[in-house]
Coordinates of all heavy atoms in Angstrom, one line a residue:
T60 N 0.8 -1.2 0.0 CA 0.0 0.0 0.0 C 0.9 1.3 0.0 O 0.5 2.3 -0.6 CB -1.0 0.0 1.2 OG1 -0.2 0.0 2.4 CG2 -2.0 -1.1 1.1
E61 N 2.0 1.2 0.6 CA 2.9 2.4 0.7 C 3.3 2.9 -0.7 O 3.4 4.1 -0.9 CB 4.2 2.0 1.5 CG 5.1 3.1 1.7 CD 6.3 2.7 2.5 OE1 6.2 1.9 3.4 OE2 7.4 3.2 2.2
L62 N 3.5 2.0 -1.6 CA 3.9 2.4 -3.0 C 2.7 2.7 -3.9 O 2.8 3.2 -5.0 CB 4.7 1.3 -3.6 CG 6.1 1.0 -3.0 CD1 6.7 -0.2 -3.6 CD2 7.0 2.3 -3.1
K63 N 1.5 2.4 -3.4 CA 0.2 2.7 -4.1 C 0.1 2.0 -5.5 O -0.4 2.6 -6.4 CB 0.1 4.2 -4.3 CG 0.0 5.0 -2.9 CD -0.1 6.4 -3.1 CE -0.1 7.0 -1.7 NZ 0.1 8.4 -1.7
C64 N 0.6 0.8 -5.6 CA 0.5 0.0 -6.8 C -0.9 -0.1 -7.3 O -1.2 -0.1 -8.5 CB 1.1 -1.4 -6.6 SG 2.8 -1.3 -6.0
S65 N -1.9 -0.2 -6.4 CA -3.3 -0.4 -6.8 C -3.9 0.8 -7.4 O -5.0 0.7 -7.9 CB -4.1 -0.9 -5.6 OG -4.1 0.1 -4.6
T66 N -3.2 1.9 -7.4 CA -3.7 3.1 -8.1 C -3.8 2.8 -9.6 O -4.8 3.2 -10.3 CB -2.8 4.3 -7.9 OG1 -2.7 4.6 -6.5 CG2 -3.3 5.5 -8.7
C67 N -2.9 2.0 -10.1 CA -2.8 1.7 -11.5 C -3.1 0.2 -11.8 O -3.7 -0.1 -12.9 CB -1.5 2.0 -12.1 SG -1.1 3.8 -12.0
H68 N -2.7 -0.7 -10.9 CA -2.8 -2.1 -11.1 C -4.0 -2.7 -10.3 O -4.2 -2.3 -9.2 CB -1.5 -2.9 -10.7 CG -0.3 -2.5 -11.5 ND1 -0.1 -3.1 -12.8 CD2 0.7 -1.7 -11.3 CE1 1.0 -2.6 -13.2 NE2 1.5 -1.7 -12.4
A69 N -4.6 -3.7 -10.9 CA -5.7 -4.5 -10.2 C -5.2 -5.9 -9.9 O -4.4 -6.4 -10.6 CB -6.9 -4.5 -11.1
I70 N -5.8 -6.4 -8.8 CA -5.6 -7.8 -8.5 C -7.0 -8.3 -8.1 O -7.6 -7.7 -7.3 CB -4.6 -8.0 -7.3 CG1 -3.2 -7.5 -7.8 CG2 -4.5 -9.5 -6.9 CD1 -2.2 -7.5 -6.6
A71 N -7.4 -9.4 -8.7 CA -8.7 -10.0 -8.4 C -9.8 -8.9 -8.6 O -10.8 -8.9 -7.8 CB -8.7 -10.6 -7.0
G72 N -9.7 -8.1 -9.6 CA -10.7 -7.1 -9.9 C -10.7 -5.9 -9.1 O -11.6 -5.0 -9.3
K73 N -9.8 -5.8 -8.1 CA -9.8 -4.6 -7.3 C -8.5 -3.8 -7.6 O -7.4 -4.3 -7.6 CB -9.8 -5.0 -5.8 CG -11.1 -5.7 -5.4 CD -11.1 -6.0 -3.9 CE -12.4 -6.7 -3.6 NZ -12.5 -7.0 -2.2
G74 N -8.7 -2.5 -7.8 CA -7.6 -1.6 -8.0 C -7.8 -0.9 -9.3 O -8.9 -0.9 -9.9
G75 N -6.7 -0.2 -9.8 CA -6.8 0.6 -11.0 C -6.8 -0.1 -12.3 O -6.6 -1.3 -12.3
K76 N -7.1 0.6 -13.3 CA -7.2 0.0 -14.7 C -6.2 0.8 -15.6 O -6.3 0.5 -16.8 CB -8.6 0.1 -15.2 CG -9.6 -0.7 -14.4 CD -11.0 -0.6 -14.9 CE -12.1 -1.4 -14.4 NZ -12.1 -2.0 -13.2
L77 N -5.4 1.6 -15.1 CA -4.4 2.3 -16.0 C -3.3 1.4 -16.5 O -2.7 1.6 -17.5 CB -3.8 3.5 -15.2 CG -4.8 4.6 -15.0 CD1 -4.0 5.7 -14.1 CD2 -5.2 5.3 -16.3
A78 N -3.0 0.3 -15.7 CA -1.9 -0.6 -16.1 C -2.5 -2.0 -16.1 O -3.6 -2.2 -15.6 CB -0.8 -0.5 -15.1
S79 N -1.7 -3.0 -16.5 CA -2.1 -4.3 -16.6 C -2.4 -4.9 -15.2 O -1.8 -4.5 -14.2 CB -1.0 -5.2 -17.2 OG 0.2 -5.1 -16.5
A80 N -3.4 -5.8 -15.1 CA -3.8 -6.5 -13.9 C -2.6 -7.4 -13.6 O -1.9 -7.9 -14.4 CB -5.0 -7.3 -14.1
L81 N -2.4 -7.6 -12.3 CA -1.3 -8.4 -11.8 C -1.7 -9.9 -11.5 O -0.8 -10.7 -11.2 CB -0.6 -7.8 -10.6 CG 0.0 -6.4 -10.8 CD1 0.5 -5.8 -9.5 CD2 1.1 -6.5 -11.8
D82 N -2.9 -10.2 -11.8 CA -3.3 -11.6 -11.6 C -2.5 -12.5 -12.5 O -2.3 -12.2 -13.7 CB -4.8 -11.8 -12.0 CG -5.7 -10.9 -11.2 OD1 -5.8 -11.1 -10.0 OD2 -6.3 -10.0 -11.8
G83 N -1.9 -13.5 -12.0 CA -1.1 -14.5 -12.7 C 0.2 -14.0 -13.2 O 0.9 -14.7 -14.0
V84 N 0.7 -12.9 -12.7 CA 2.0 -12.3 -13.1 C 3.1 -13.3 -12.9 O 4.1 -13.4 -13.7 CB 2.3 -11.0 -12.5 CG1 2.6 -11.1 -11.0 CG2 3.4 -10.3 -13.2
A85 N 3.1 -14.1 -11.9 CA 4.2 -15.1 -11.6 C 4.2 -16.2 -12.6 O 5.3 -16.8 -12.8 CB 4.0 -15.7 -10.2
T86 N 3.2 -16.4 -13.4 CA 3.2 -17.4 -14.4 C 3.5 -16.8 -15.8 O 3.8 -17.5 -16.7 CB 1.9 -18.3 -14.5 OG1 0.8 -17.4 -14.7 CG2 1.7 -19.0 -13.2
K87 N 3.3 -15.5 -15.9 CA 3.5 -14.8 -17.1 C 4.9 -14.2 -17.3 O 5.4 -14.0 -18.4 CB 2.5 -13.7 -17.3 CG 1.1 -14.1 -17.3 CD 0.2 -12.9 -17.3 CE -1.3 -13.3 -17.0 NZ -2.1 -12.2 -16.8
R88 N 5.6 -13.9 -16.2 CA 6.9 -13.3 -16.2 C 7.9 -14.0 -15.4 O 7.5 -14.5 -14.3 CB 6.8 -11.8 -15.7 CG 5.8 -10.9 -16.4 CD 6.4 -10.5 -17.8 NE 5.4 -9.7 -18.5 CZ 4.7 -10.0 -19.5 NH1 4.8 -11.3 -19.9 NH2 3.9 -9.2 -20.1
T89 N 9.1 -14.0 -15.8 CA 10.2 -14.7 -15.0 C 10.5 -13.8 -13.8 O 10.2 -12.6 -13.8 CB 11.5 -14.9 -15.8 OG1 12.0 -13.6 -16.1 CG2 11.2 -15.7 -17.0
K90 N 11.2 -14.3 -12.8 CA 11.6 -13.6 -11.6 C 12.5 -12.4 -12.1 O 12.5 -11.3 -11.5 CB 12.4 -14.5 -10.6 CG 11.5 -15.5 -9.9 CD 12.3 -16.3 -9.0 CE 11.4 -17.4 -8.4 NZ 12.2 -18.2 -7.4
E91 N 13.3 -12.7 -13.1 CA 14.3 -11.7 -13.6 C 13.5 -10.5 -14.2 O 13.9 -9.3 -14.0 CB 15.3 -12.3 -14.6 CG 16.2 -13.3 -14.0 CD 15.6 -14.7 -13.8 OE1 14.6 -15.0 -14.4 OE2 16.2 -15.4 -13.0
V92 N 12.5 -10.8 -15.0 CA 11.7 -9.7 -15.6 C 10.9 -8.9 -14.5 O 10.9 -7.7 -14.6 CB 10.8 -10.3 -16.7 CG1 9.8 -9.2 -17.1 CG2 11.6 -10.8 -17.8
I93 N 10.4 -9.6 -13.6 CA 9.7 -8.9 -12.5 C 10.7 -8.0 -11.8 O 10.3 -6.8 -11.5 CB 9.0 -9.9 -11.5 CG1 7.8 -10.6 -12.2 CG2 8.6 -9.2 -10.2 CD1 7.2 -11.7 -11.5
H94 N 11.8 -8.5 -11.5 CA 12.9 -7.7 -10.8 C 13.2 -6.5 -11.6 O 13.3 -5.4 -11.1 CB 14.1 -8.5 -10.5 CG 15.2 -7.8 -9.9 ND1 15.2 -7.5 -8.5 CD2 16.3 -7.1 -10.4 CE1 16.3 -6.8 -8.2 NE2 17.0 -6.5 -9.4
S95 N 13.4 -6.6 -12.9 CA 13.7 -5.5 -13.8 C 12.5 -4.5 -13.8 O 12.8 -3.3 -13.8 CB 13.9 -6.0 -15.2 OG 14.3 -4.9 -16.1
W96 N 11.3 -5.0 -13.9 CA 10.2 -4.0 -13.8 C 10.2 -3.2 -12.5 O 9.9 -2.0 -12.5 CB 8.8 -4.7 -13.9 CG 8.3 -4.9 -15.3 CD1 8.3 -6.0 -16.0 CD2 7.8 -3.9 -16.1 NE1 7.8 -5.8 -17.2 CE2 7.4 -4.5 -17.3 CE3 7.6 -2.5 -16.0 CZ2 6.9 -3.8 -18.4 CZ3 7.0 -1.8 -17.0 CH2 6.7 -2.4 -18.2
L97 N 10.6 -3.8 -11.4 CA 10.7 -3.0 -10.2 C 11.9 -2.2 -10.0 O 11.9 -1.2 -9.3 CB 10.6 -4.0 -9.0 CG 9.3 -4.9 -8.9 CD1 9.5 -5.9 -7.9 CD2 8.2 -4.0 -8.6
T98 N 13.0 -2.5 -10.7 CA 14.2 -1.8 -10.5 C 14.6 -0.9 -11.7 O 15.4 0.1 -11.6 CB 15.4 -2.7 -10.2 OG1 15.5 -3.7 -11.3 CG2 15.2 -3.4 -8.9
D99 N 14.1 -1.2 -12.9 CA 14.4 -0.5 -14.1 C 13.3 -0.5 -15.1 O 13.4 -1.1 -16.2 CB 15.7 -1.0 -14.8 CG 16.2 -0.1 -15.9 OD1 15.7 1.0 -16.1 OD2 17.1 -0.6 -16.6
S100 N 12.1 0.0 -14.6 CA 10.9 -0.1 -15.4 C 11.0 0.6 -16.8 O 10.4 0.2 -17.7 CB 9.7 0.4 -14.6 OG 10.0 1.7 -14.1
A101 N 11.8 1.6 -16.8 CA 12.0 2.3 -18.1 C 12.5 1.4 -19.2 O 12.1 1.4 -20.4 CB 12.9 3.5 -18.0
A102 N 13.5 0.5 -18.8 CA 14.0 -0.5 -19.8 C 12.9 -1.4 -20.2 O 12.8 -1.8 -21.4 CB 15.2 -1.2 -19.2
Q103 N 12.1 -1.9 -19.3 CA 11.0 -2.8 -19.7 C 9.9 -2.1 -20.5 O 9.4 -2.7 -21.5 CB 10.4 -3.3 -18.4 CG 11.2 -4.3 -17.7 CD 11.5 -5.5 -18.5 OE1 10.7 -6.1 -19.2 NE2 12.8 -6.0 -18.4
E104 N 9.6 -0.8 -20.2 CA 8.6 -0.1 -21.0 C 9.1 0.1 -22.5 O 8.3 0.0 -23.4 CB 8.4 1.3 -20.4 CG 7.7 1.2 -19.1 CD 7.7 2.5 -18.3 OE1 8.4 3.5 -18.6 OE2 7.1 2.5 -17.2
K105 N 10.4 0.2 -22.7 CA 10.9 0.3 -24.1 C 10.6 -0.9 -24.9 O 10.6 -0.9 -26.1 CB 12.4 0.6 -24.0 CG 12.7 2.0 -23.6 CD 14.2 2.3 -23.5 CE 14.5 3.7 -23.0 NZ 15.9 3.9 -22.9
K106 N 10.5 -2.1 -24.2 CA 10.2 -3.3 -24.9 C 8.8 -3.5 -25.3 O 8.4 -4.4 -26.1 CB 10.7 -4.5 -24.1 CG 12.1 -4.5 -23.8 CD 12.5 -5.6 -22.8 CE 14.0 -5.6 -22.4 NZ 14.3 -6.7 -21.5
L107 N 7.9 -2.7 -24.8 CA 6.4 -2.9 -25.1 C 6.1 -2.4 -26.5 O 6.7 -1.4 -27.0 CB 5.6 -2.0 -24.0 CG 5.8 -2.4 -22.6 CD1 5.0 -1.5 -21.7 CD2 5.3 -3.9 -22.4
E108 N 5.1 -3.0 -27.0 CA 4.7 -2.6 -28.4 C 4.0 -1.2 -28.3 O 4.1 -0.4 -29.3 CB 3.7 -3.6 -29.0 CG 4.3 -4.9 -29.3 CD 3.2 -5.9 -29.9 OE1 2.2 -5.4 -30.4 OE2 3.5 -7.1 -29.8
K109 N 3.3 -1.0 -27.3 CA 2.5 0.2 -27.1 C 2.9 0.9 -25.8 O 3.0 0.2 -24.7 CB 1.0 -0.1 -27.1 CG 0.1 1.0 -27.2 CD -1.3 0.4 -27.3 CE -2.4 1.4 -27.0 NZ -3.7 0.9 -27.0
A110 N 3.1 2.2 -25.8 CA 3.5 2.9 -24.5 C 2.4 2.8 -23.5 O 1.2 2.9 -23.8 CB 3.8 4.3 -24.9
P111 N 2.7 2.6 -22.2 CA 1.7 2.5 -21.2 C 1.0 3.8 -21.0 O 1.6 4.9 -21.2 CB 2.5 2.0 -20.0 CG 3.9 2.3 -20.2 CD 4.1 2.4 -21.7
K112 N -0.2 3.8 -20.5 CA -1.0 5.0 -20.2 C -0.4 5.7 -19.1 O -0.3 7.0 -19.1 CB -2.4 4.6 -19.8 CG -3.2 4.0 -21.0 CD -4.6 3.6 -20.5 CE -5.4 2.9 -21.5 NZ -6.6 2.3 -21.0
M113 N 0.1 5.0 -18.1 CA 0.8 5.6 -16.9 C 2.1 4.9 -16.8 O 2.2 3.8 -16.2 CB -0.1 5.5 -15.7 CG 0.6 5.9 -14.4 SD 1.1 7.6 -14.4 CE -0.4 8.4 -14.2
P114 N 3.2 5.4 -17.3 CA 4.5 4.7 -17.2 C 4.9 4.5 -15.8 O 4.9 5.5 -15.0 CB 5.4 5.7 -17.9 CG 4.6 6.5 -18.8 CD 3.3 6.7 -18.1
M115 N 5.3 3.3 -15.5 CA 5.7 3.0 -14.1 C 7.0 3.8 -13.8 O 7.3 4.2 -12.7 CB 6.0 1.5 -14.0 CG 5.7 0.9 -12.7 SD 5.7 -0.9 -12.9 CE 7.0 -1.4 -11.8
S116 N 7.8 4.0 -14.8 CA 9.1 4.7 -14.7 C 8.9 6.2 -14.2 O 9.8 6.8 -13.7 CB 9.9 4.7 -15.9 OG 9.2 5.3 -17.0
K117 N 7.7 6.7 -14.5 CA 7.4 8.1 -14.1 C 6.8 8.2 -12.7 O 6.7 9.3 -12.1 CB 6.5 8.7 -15.1 CG 6.9 8.7 -16.5 CD 8.0 9.7 -16.8 CE 8.3 9.7 -18.2 NZ 9.6 10.3 -18.5
S118 N 6.5 7.1 -12.1 CA 5.9 7.0 -10.8 C 6.8 7.5 -9.7 O 7.9 6.9 -9.6 CB 5.4 5.6 -10.5 OG 5.1 5.5 -9.1
A119 N 6.4 8.4 -8.9 CA 7.3 8.9 -7.8 C 7.6 7.8 -6.9 O 8.7 7.6 -6.3 CB 6.6 10.1 -7.1
S120 N 6.7 6.9 -6.6 CA 6.9 5.7 -5.7 C 8.0 4.8 -6.3 O 8.8 4.4 -5.5 CB 5.6 4.9 -5.6 OG 4.6 5.7 -5.0
M121 N 8.0 4.6 -7.6 CA 9.0 3.7 -8.1 C 10.4 4.4 -8.2 O 11.4 3.7 -8.1 CB 8.6 3.2 -9.5 CG 7.4 2.3 -9.5 SD 7.4 1.0 -8.3 CE 8.7 0.0 -9.0
K122 N 10.4 5.6 -8.3 CA 11.7 6.3 -8.3 C 12.4 6.2 -7.0 O 13.6 6.3 -6.9 CB 11.5 7.8 -8.7 CG 11.2 8.0 -10.2 CD 11.0 9.4 -10.5 CE 10.6 9.6 -12.0 NZ 10.4 10.9 -12.3
N123 N 11.6 6.1 -5.9 CA 12.2 6.0 -4.6 C 12.1 4.7 -3.9 O 12.2 4.6 -2.7 CB 11.4 7.1 -3.7 CG 11.6 8.5 -4.3 OD1 12.8 8.9 -4.5 ND2 10.6 9.2 -4.4
I124 N 11.8 3.6 -4.7 CA 11.7 2.3 -4.1 C 13.0 1.8 -3.4 O 14.1 2.1 -4.0 CB 11.2 1.3 -5.2 CG1 10.7 0.0 -4.5 CG2 12.2 1.0 -6.2 CD1 9.9 -0.9 -5.4
K125 N 12.8 1.3 -2.3 CA 14.0 0.8 -1.5 C 14.2 -0.7 -1.8 O 13.3 -1.4 -2.1 CB 13.7 1.0 0.0 CG 13.5 2.5 0.4 CD 13.1 2.6 1.8 CE 12.9 4.1 2.2 NZ 11.6 4.4 2.4
P126 N 15.5 -1.1 -1.6 CA 15.8 -2.5 -1.9 C 14.9 -3.5 -1.1 O 14.5 -4.5 -1.7 CB 17.3 -2.7 -1.5 CG 17.8 -1.3 -1.7 CD 16.7 -0.4 -1.3
E127 N 14.6 -3.2 0.1 CA 13.7 -4.1 0.9 C 12.3 -4.2 0.4 O 11.6 -5.2 0.4 CB 13.8 -3.8 2.4 CG 13.3 -2.4 2.8 CD 14.3 -1.3 2.8 OE1 15.4 -1.5 2.3 OE2 14.0 -0.2 3.3
Q128 N 11.9 -3.0 -0.2 CA 10.5 -3.0 -0.8 C 10.5 -3.9 -2.1 O 9.6 -4.6 -2.4 CB 10.1 -1.6 -1.2 CG 9.8 -0.8 0.1 CD 9.6 0.7 -0.3 OE1 10.4 1.3 -1.0 NE2 8.5 1.2 0.2
V129 N 11.6 -3.8 -2.9 CA 11.7 -4.6 -4.1 C 11.7 -6.1 -3.7 O 10.9 -6.9 -4.3 CB 13.1 -4.3 -4.8 CG1 13.3 -5.4 -5.9 CG2 13.0 -3.0 -5.4
K130 N 12.4 -6.5 -2.7 CA 12.4 -7.9 -2.2 C 11.0 -8.3 -1.8 O 10.6 -9.4 -2.1 CB 13.4 -8.0 -1.0 CG 13.6 -9.4 -0.6 CD 14.6 -9.5 0.6 CE 14.7 -10.9 1.2 NZ 15.5 -10.9 2.3
D131 N 10.4 -7.5 -1.0 CA 9.0 -7.8 -0.5 C 8.0 -7.9 -1.7 O 7.2 -8.8 -1.7 CB 8.5 -6.8 0.5 CG 9.2 -6.8 1.8 OD1 9.9 -7.8 2.1 OD2 9.1 -5.8 2.6
L132 N 8.1 -7.0 -2.6 CA 7.2 -7.0 -3.8 C 7.5 -8.3 -4.7 O 6.5 -8.9 -5.1 CB 7.3 -5.8 -4.7 CG 6.5 -4.6 -4.2 CD1 6.9 -3.3 -5.0 CD2 5.1 -4.8 -4.4
E133 N 8.7 -8.6 -4.9 CA 9.1 -9.8 -5.6 C 8.5 -11.1 -4.9 O 7.9 -11.9 -5.6 CB 10.6 -10.0 -5.7 CG 11.2 -9.0 -6.7 CD 12.7 -9.0 -6.7 OE1 13.3 -9.3 -5.6 OE2 13.3 -8.7 -7.7
A134 N 8.6 -11.1 -3.6 CA 8.0 -12.3 -2.9 C 6.5 -12.3 -3.1 O 5.9 -13.4 -3.3 CB 8.4 -12.2 -1.5
Y135 N 5.9 -11.2 -3.0 CA 4.4 -11.1 -3.1 C 4.0 -11.5 -4.5 O 3.1 -12.3 -4.7 CB 3.9 -9.7 -2.7 CG 2.4 -9.6 -2.9 CD1 1.5 -10.3 -2.2 CD2 1.9 -8.8 -4.0 CE1 0.1 -10.2 -2.5 CE2 0.6 -8.7 -4.2 CZ -0.3 -9.4 -3.5 OH -1.7 -9.3 -3.8
L136 N 4.6 -10.8 -5.5 CA 4.2 -11.1 -6.9 C 4.4 -12.5 -7.3 O 3.7 -13.1 -8.1 CB 5.0 -10.1 -7.8 CG 4.6 -8.7 -7.7 CD1 5.5 -7.8 -8.5 CD2 3.1 -8.4 -8.1
A137 N 5.4 -13.2 -6.7 CA 5.6 -14.6 -7.0 C 4.5 -15.5 -6.5 O 4.3 -16.6 -7.0 CB 6.9 -15.1 -6.2
T138 N 3.6 -15.0 -5.6 CA 2.4 -15.8 -5.2 C 1.3 -15.6 -6.1 O 0.3 -16.4 -6.0 CB 2.0 -15.3 -3.8 OG1 1.4 -14.0 -3.8 CG2 3.2 -15.4 -2.8
L139 N 1.3 -14.6 -7.0 CA 0.2 -14.4 -7.9 C 0.3 -15.3 -9.2 O 0.7 -14.9 -10.2 CB 0.2 -12.9 -8.3 CG 0.0 -11.9 -7.2 CD1 0.1 -10.5 -7.7 CD2 -1.3 -12.2 -6.4
K140 N -0.2 -16.5 -9.0 CA -0.1 -17.5 -10.1 C -1.5 -17.8 -10.7 O -2.5 -17.5 -10.2 CB 0.5 -18.8 -9.6 CG 1.9 -18.6 -9.1 CD 2.5 -19.8 -8.6 CE 3.9 -19.5 -8.2 NZ 4.7 -20.7 -7.7

C-alpha cells in the first residue's frame, strides 16, 4: 500500500485500470523480468509494443523504491499465479 501500486494495477478485480492487472503475473513473467520491472521499469517499457497509459518509470513511488521493498514485492508477486 505504501507504493500505491493499486492506483494503476488491479488484483482480483480490485484496483486501478491504468496498467495491466497483476493476476497471474508469476506465471507470465520470470523472476528476472519482475525484478527488472521493479528496478528499471524504463527499460521494460521500451520493450512494449505500445506505450503504457501511466508509465511506471514516471511514478514517484518507483523512483524512490527501497531494496527491501523490491524484495517484498518480488516475494508477493511470486504468489500471484
Side-chain angles (χ1 to χ4, degrees):
T60 59
E61 184 179 323
L62 295 173
K63 301 180 182 166
C64 303
S65 63
T66 300
C67 297
H68 295 280
I70 298 171
K73 294 183 181 181
K76 294 181 177 17
L77 289 174
S79 59
L81 296 175
D82 302 294
V84 71
T86 58
K87 298 173 190 171
R88 303 284 181 256
T89 65
K90 290 179 184 181
E91 293 79 19
V92 169
I93 290 171
H94 179 81
S95 182
W96 269 107
L97 296 173
T98 58
D99 189 7
S100 52
Q103 290 297 319
E104 289 166 355
K105 288 178 184 176
K106 296 177 184 180
L107 298 174
E108 289 181 26
K109 191 173 161 184
K112 293 176 189 174
M113 174 59 75
M115 213 166 120
S116 60
K117 304 284 185 200
S118 164
S120 297
M121 294 310 294
K122 288 180 182 179
N123 298 312
I124 193 167
K125 298 177 181 111
E127 61 270 13
Q128 291 171 309
V129 170
K130 184 178 173 185
D131 290 344
L132 276 170
E133 288 173 329
Y135 174 68
L136 293 171
T138 70
L139 300 178
K140 297 180 179 183

